[in-house]
Amino acid sequence: MLGAAEQAFIVHGYSGASMAAIAEVVPVSKPSLYNHFKGKQELFVAVIASQCVALLNMLKGDRHFRCLLGLQSGLSGEEKRHLIDAAVSLFLKGHGHDV
């Protein structure tokens, strides 16, 4: 379900993706899709959450990222956020993604 929803959001954007169209692609009935998710916003959040988990799992396997995370003790919240942002940017650039 999440894969079909992800593709619908990528192709049609949030506004253009409909629960009915996503249900057709899965394929499940629209009421069945609503049994899993209260609405499009909850489905979108589930898609984003699954992508965040996938990204974090990928980053956990990167030794440079793990090293940077180990250095963050004693830093302020803002410093930690900048460190994480920099680490993610470096990781993505190193894996051929534009940031």
Side-chain angles (χ1 to χ4, degrees), residues 34-93:
Y34 277 102
N35 282 334
H36 293 281
F37 304 97
K38 292 178 185 173
K40 184 167 66 167
Q41 182 177 4
E42 187 174 293
L43 178 55
F44 184 73
V45 168
V47 168
I48 297 300
S50 72
Q51 292 303 306
C52 288
V53 168
L55 177 61
L56 285 174
N57 286 334
M58 186 172 50
L59 290 173
K60 285 179 187 175
D62 184 270
R63 67 182 177 85
H64 298 294
F65 186 75
R66 286 194 320 267
C67 180
L68 283 173
L69 289 179
L71 296 176
Q72 63 176 305
S73 60
L75 299 176
S76 72
E78 185 70 12
E79 290 170 324
K80 289 178 184 178
R81 188 182 66 75
H82 285 298
L83 181 61
I84 297 294
D85 287 348
V88 169
S89 293
L90 285 172
F91 178 84
L92 291 173
K93 285 179 184 178

Side-chain angles (χ1 to χ4, degrees), residues 3-17:
E6 177 185 347
Q7 287 305 309
F9 291 127
I10 289 170
V11 172
H12 303 289
Y14 181 81
S15 298

